[in-house]
Each structure stands twice: as C-alpha cells, then as structure tokens.
Amino acid sequence: MCIDDPTVSWHHAVIGADETGWWIEDLGSKNGTFVNGAQVQREALQDRDEIRIGSAQFLIVDQAEGEAERRAAVAAVEPRRLTRTMVITPTASPFLETALLSAAAALGQRSGKELGALVRMSLALPSAGSTAAAASAVMQAVFEALPEARAAVLLENEERGRLETANGWWRSEGACPGPEVEEEQLRRVMCNGEARLLEGSEAGNALLAAPLVSADGCRGVVAASSGGGLKLDQGHLEWLAAVAAIAAPALDSVRRLEWLEEENLRLMRETNLRQNMVGQSPAFEEVLRQVAKAAPADSTVLVRGETGTGKELVARAIHAGSRRNGRPFVAVNCATLSEHLLESDLFGHEKGAFTGAISQKRGKIEVAEGGSLFLDEVGELAPALQAKLLRVMQEREFERVGGLRPIHADIRLIAATNRNLEEAVRAGTFRNDLYYRLNVITIHVPALRERREDIPVLASFFLARLLPKAPRRIAGFSPAARRRLAAYDWPGNVRELENAIERAAVLGSSELIVPEDLPESLLENGAVESDEVSRYHEMVSAEKKRVILAALEEAQGNQREAARHLGLNPTYLSRLIRNLHLKAGHAKAE
C-alpha cells in the first residue's frame, strides 16, 4: 500500500503472517509504527487491533466473523482519503513513442507529432557536448515535424562578422549550406527578434526563420524551407519559434563552454611554452613566438645557440606545447658518452650483444615512444651514429645493438647544437643529408649579451628560487650590483648567470647582494664607471693589468707563453685580457 502522507517513510512497515498468526514490523521508519496507541518494533496482531501509520489508521478484523459484523467494524473506522501512485520509466512516455505519434499524425493530429519532436529535442540538448551536436538535435526535430525540409542552424561569427552554418541538411540529399536565402533577410529576423514566414511565388520557396535569442542577445537563426508539396503555414512558424526559444539557451551555453575550453587550452599552452623560460626582451619574445608556431606540428626542430643559453628549455617547451605532451620527453647529451656507449644508450642492445651485456636493454628511442627525443649537442655525433640516426628519421625504425628485428620509432626529434653545422658539413665531419633532415625548423636562441633587458629579470628569478634555502635573509640586489650584472657580457650565458647568483647568495653577508659578492670576472669588467667600484677593486684590477702586461711583454705578446709564466690556463688568461680591456697590441694568440 502507498500512503500519500509526508510523515510516512518510503518503506515504513511490513505486515506478515506465519504459523503463530499475523504480525507487523517497523522497517526503521522516521516517525514510528503504532498499535493501539503504543509505538512498536514488531508486534503480534489480534482481532480489533488498531494500527496507525502517519495519519492513516487501520483496523484488524478477523475474516472468520460474519460479513455483516465485519462491514460494521470497517465502517466504524474513520474514513481517510484514498491515494495511489503511478510509476513509469521516463523513456516509456507515450510522447517518446514514434509509432504512437505517427499514428496520431495519420489521424490529423499534427500537433502531437510536433510536440513529440520538441520533447525529444529538449531531452537531447542537455547532453550535447558541442555546437555541432546541439545543432544536430535541432535539425532532427525539424525533420520530424517538417518532412522534405531543407534546414540549417546559422550562428554568428563575431570575428568575421557574418552568419555561418553550424549544421545544414537537405533531407533527401544530405549535408548542404542551408536554405538559399539572402543573409540580409536573416539579419532582419535577428535584429527584430521575431520569427518570420517568408512566402515566395511558389509554396516550395517559402522560408521559415526564427531567432536564437539568449541572455546575451540574438546570436543566430534557425531557418527551414520546404521543397516538396508541404505548404508552410502559421502553425509551422509558431512551432519553429518554440524550437528556437528552447534551443537558444542550450546553444549559447555550449558555445560559451567551447570558448572557455579553447581559452583554457590556449592559456595552458602558453604556460607550458614558458616552462622555466624567463624574459621580456623582444629577442626572447621572438623565441617564444617561434616555439608556439613549431610546437603543434610534428616536424623536426633544430635549436641553435651558444652553450648555456637554455636550448633544452626551448626543447621542453616545444614538447609541452605539442600533442605529445602527455608522453615522455627523453634527453640525450651526445657529447658526454663514447661512441659505443652512446649507441647502446640510444638504440638499446640485446642480451650478449657485447661483453657486459648481461640482459636486454631498451634504448632512449624506445623509452621516448609516442613522445619527444631531444638530442643535445647533436653536432658531436660520430659518423657511424649519424648514419643510424638518419635511418631513424627516414624510415622511422631502428634495431637494437646485436638485434635483427626492426623496431618502429614513433617519436618527434628535437636536436640542439652550439656548433656551426654548415662548416662541419663542408669539413666532412657532419653528414650533409642528416643536416638537411635536422634543419627543417630552426630556432636560434640568442646569447644573453644580445638580450640584456632580461638580465635583471633572470637574476631576480634565480634569487627567488634560492631564497627558501638561503642561509640568511636576502632582500634583493643593490643598485651597484645590478649595474655590474647588466654590464657584463656573460660568455657562459644564462647558466653562468645562475651560478653567479647562487655564489652571491651563499657567500654574501648582508641583506642586499653587493658587487663584492659577485664573481671576480664581473668585477674585472671595465665597462662600469670607476666611481661605481670600490677602491679595493680598482687597486686589484690595476695590479692584475700590470702583472699580465709584464708577462705578455716578457713573452713578446704570446698569450700561451705568458699563461705558462703566470701559471694560468691560456683560456682564463684570454678572458682576463678581454675583461680588463687590454689592448690587442699587447697580446697575440699562438
């Protein structure tokens, strides 16, 4: 029994019988079950017992008694309102039964068919995950109500300033641009916000158009025309207006969601592209633009630039902005391993392929399956490995060392070098065909001296990253230290700058990083005016100049010989001569 009372639980109580007789049991209801006024959990029932559940009362009557006496007992119970509950599965609704609606249409009940089309469209729109799917649901409703129709959902493209077909269909022929009608007429429907029936010289030329009006205004039109014997009338116009009124909010929501998803992807791509790349100079922004263009493609990219400029960061940004960003990014430094070790590291090897190969090993190319393989310092590859890499790029397959079975390589190759590959090709140390395979898209990363605007930004970035582990509180850089950082040429580029900031953070003693905390190479740079340097460093620089000039004079200008006399590395002496701005005439390289 179903009792129409809000105080009665969904499953309130159960009445049953066994060998001992009838009983009632409460099923954990919120408001309780009562027998003869007392609340019970399980109770045996006797003749004339009164049961109360919510506002309903029941009387137990022994059926063995006479019929007249039983009727009198039942009549004594206070009458209550009788209720009943009907249950139906939503999908079993007659409004969704095509056969029933078609039968109603055959009897001349056109409104039944049109109403059914509206109901089905209303059910389909909330689950539409795209503009095309929502427009398709509208088209389906149109074709149910308007046989032999040509129809379309036209939405405004605000960037192009014109209406574009989101979904157009001709029932008998398939996809089409939509009803043949001037955009000016559809614009009038949008501007006025009124559905219109435009009749031509023949019934087949009649056009229905209804505006898609949402909270943000009118953003499109639903249009339909009939090419058959169906004559469009006011009823059809009223029905299409209802279609537009129901569909407009759904289409607006889907388009807004698509825009948000695209904007989210754009912001994610921009964030991924930057990774740990920091800068604001025009040269840096140009690198970012090139990365943004190259990332979505699957083409090979060659990143060029001096050592320490951040070529691997550029490669990682390209991977992060590509469709492979959910797959591995595997980096290999071609200059750090011998030819045989690098071959095994790249291609892998089979068990027993050489001494020490005690088990099978997957190479970096296999590990990068589906992702990106970054070959740093690719110009250092040995000729034999150049040939094998060329095969990977051409055939997209390779073999492990000691293996016979070709393995498919689904990778994107990104390479980097600080060498002049064109000169290496002319010298015969780098394969010409491999060079052209690598040089599909080239991105040049400028040296730090070519983007001095980024030096303060990078310095602050590196310092902020060090602060949590710094041995003391550091508030920033003194003005003199900033000038020193900006004036230096940074031959080691970003890597040298990062090391210099870490050194200053560890060795400094005040809240501000001052010039004395910076490496000597920066203090030896004479590009900063003398009043910015302490007298101590002036005296040190002057003494270094005197000692170096004396050694060069003794060695008759030969730098290598002068370095030997001073006990210095020739490269370090060359840097000192450059930083101290000694005249070229005093020194000559051997």
Side-chain angles (χ1 to χ4, degrees):
M1 274 180 286
C2 181
I3 302 173
D4 187 12
D5 186 336
T7 64
V8 177
S9 301
W10 284 102
H11 297 93
H12 196 104
V14 61
I15 297 176
D18 52 27
E19 61 277 3
T20 63
W22 289 90
W23 48 263
I24 186 169
E25 182 178 356
D26 186 84
L27 297 179
S29 65
K30 290 186 177 180
N31 296 307
T33 301
F34 297 83
V35 176
N36 300 324
Q39 185 172 355
V40 299
Q41 290 300 319
R42 182 183 174 97
E43 185 75 11
L45 296 175
Q46 306 295 329
D47 186 37
R48 304 295 173 171
D49 279 350
E50 291 187 358
I51 300 172
R52 181 167 63 83
I53 296 176
S55 60
Q57 288 186 338
F58 304 90
L59 180 67
I60 300 298
V61 179
D62 190 346
Q63 294 185 6
E65 297 179 359
E67 181 66 19
E69 188 177 356
R70 189 181 68 81
R71 286 180 179 274
V74 173
V77 179
E78 182 182 355
R80 299 288 178 181
R81 180 168 58 92
L82 298 177
T83 62
R84 64 176 180 172
T85 298
M86 298 182 66
V87 180
I88 185 171
T89 304
T91 54
S93 170
F95 287 99
L96 303 179
E97 291 293 334
T98 304
L100 294 178
L101 294 174
S102 299
L107 296 174
Q109 299 177 5
R110 191 178 89 184
S111 59
K113 179 174 63 175
E114 294 173 345
L115 180 59
L118 280 178
V119 171
R120 278 185 288 275
M121 181 190 73
S122 301
L123 292 174
L125 284 173
S127 61
S130 65
T131 300
S136 178
V138 175
M139 290 295 94
Q140 184 63 36
V142 171
F143 292 137
E144 287 186 30
L146 304 177
E148 300 183 9
R150 170 180 279 182
V153 174
L154 299 105
L155 302 176
E156 185 172 27
N157 187 318
E158 295 181 358
E159 294 182 359
R160 300 182 181 181
R162 61 187 178 88
L163 289 171
E164 293 184 347
T165 304
N167 194 308
W169 204 263
W170 176 243
R171 189 179 183 91
S172 60
E173 299 174 10
C176 71
E180 296 177 0
V181 60
E182 295 181 3
E183 185 171 331
E184 182 181 350
Q185 293 178 321
L186 300 178
R187 286 282 180 188
R188 191 177 301 118
V189 170
M190 289 178 60
C191 293
N192 296 335
E194 298 175 346
R196 293 193 175 195
L197 169 58
L198 306 174
E199 294 184 341
S201 57
E202 300 177 4
N205 293 333
L207 174 75
L208 291 173
L212 293 165
V213 182
S214 62
D216 294 333
C218 188
R219 292 290 183 265
V221 177
V222 180
S225 63
S226 177
L230 177 66
K231 182 173 177 61
L232 300 177
D233 56 27
Q234 184 175 349
H236 292 127
L237 179 63
E238 293 171 349
W239 177 83
L240 191 67
V243 168
I246 295 172
L251 281 164
D252 189 56
S253 297
V254 172
R255 294 187 78 189
R256 188 182 299 275
L257 181 60
E258 288 178 336
W259 180 85
L260 289 173
E261 289 176 346
E262 290 176 3
E263 184 68 7
N264 185 46
L265 287 174
R266 184 188 67 79
L267 292 174
M268 288 179 63
R269 281 196 297 267
E270 184 175 328
T271 302
N272 289 338
L273 287 177
R274 282 190 173 266
Q275 295 282 316
N276 288 323
M277 298 170 64
V278 178
Q280 59 187 16
S281 65
F284 176 79
E285 293 296 333
E286 177 58 29
V287 171
L288 283 184
R289 281 192 290 271
Q290 293 180 30
V291 169
K293 290 180 179 178
D298 216 19
S299 305
T300 301
V301 180
L302 179 62
V303 185
R304 309 186 72 161
E306 296 180 6
T307 298
T309 51
K311 296 187 291 296
E312 183 170 343
L313 287 179
V314 171
R316 289 184 180 276
I318 292 171
H319 173 74
S322 72
R323 64 177 179 83
R324 298 175 179 268
N325 59 5
R327 304 296 296 167
F329 175 89
V330 179
V332 179
N333 192 322
C334 301
T336 58
L337 298 175
S338 66
E339 177 181 344
H340 296 296
L341 289 177
L342 182 59
E343 182 180 17
S344 173
D345 195 42
L346 269 179
F347 302 103
H349 61 251
E350 298 289 350
K351 181 179 179 180
F354 50 83
T355 303
I358 59 175
S359 63
Q360 186 190 78
K361 174 190 173 183
R362 296 172 67 218
K364 294 295 178 63
I365 297 178
E366 280 186 83
V367 174
E369 177 69 18
S372 301
L373 178 68
F374 174 57
L375 297 181
D376 197 9
E377 304 300 344
V378 71
E380 307 300 326
L381 274 179
L385 292 183
Q386 292 179 29
K388 289 194 171 186
L389 178 61
L390 181 63
R391 184 192 173 196
V392 173
M393 299 182 68
Q394 288 178 333
E395 308 296 336
R396 293 295 171 182
E397 66 178 27
F398 66 97
E399 295 172 2
R400 297 193 189 104
V401 177
L404 300 175
R405 180 177 61 87
I407 302 172
H408 180 68
D410 177 20
I411 58 170
R412 181 184 191 174
L413 187 65
I414 306 173
T417 183
N418 62 357
R419 290 186 60 188
N420 187 326
L421 292 185
E422 292 80 6
E423 288 186 0
V425 169
R426 288 192 291 270
T429 59
F430 199 83
R431 292 180 65 109
N432 185 56
D433 45 6
L434 179 58
Y435 167 73
Y436 287 114
R437 282 283 181 180
L438 291 173
N439 197 31
V440 178
I441 298 175
T442 300
I443 297 178
H444 175 73
V445 184
L448 193 53
R449 63 182 174 275
E450 298 172 6
R451 50 185 185 112
R452 292 186 182 276
E453 306 97 311
D454 294 334
I455 294 176
V457 181
L458 283 164
S460 298
F461 171 76
F462 292 137
L463 181 60
R465 205 162 62 178
L466 290 167
L467 287 180
K469 299 180 180 180
R472 69 185 194 284
R473 181 180 180 276
I474 305 175
F477 299 89
S478 70
R482 286 189 176 278
R483 287 193 291 269
R484 281 285 168 183
L485 292 172
Y488 186 54
D489 279 345
W490 300 105
N493 292 294
V494 178
R495 188 178 297 128
E496 184 184 6
L497 173 62
E498 182 179 9
N499 293 337
I501 300 304
E502 183 175 358
R503 177 188 187 278
V506 172
L507 299 182
S509 56
S510 63
E511 286 195 354
L512 291 177
I513 291 179
V514 296
E516 286 75 11
D517 300 331
L518 300 173
E520 285 190 16
S521 55
L522 274 74
L523 305 178
E524 292 163 355
N525 184 11
V528 181
E529 292 80 358
S530 59
D531 60 354
E532 297 174 0
V533 189
S534 67
R535 180 166 178 74
Y536 166 76
H537 289 293
E538 285 183 346
M539 295 174 64
V540 169
S541 295
E543 184 62 20
K544 284 183 177 181
K545 287 182 180 179
R546 188 190 66 76
V547 171
I548 291 172
L549 289 174
L552 287 170
E553 186 175 352
E554 183 179 350
Q556 298 180 351
N558 189 305
Q559 288 187 33
R560 188 173 295 278
E561 187 65 21
R564 190 177 65 80
H565 288 323
L566 295 171
L568 299 176
N569 185 287
T571 302
Y572 179 61
L573 177 60
S574 178
R575 183 194 293 183
L576 283 175
I577 292 172
R578 183 171 63 254
N579 290 338
L580 293 170
H581 293 272
L582 296 176
K583 292 182 180 180
H586 289 297
K588 63 180 180 178
E590 187 178 88

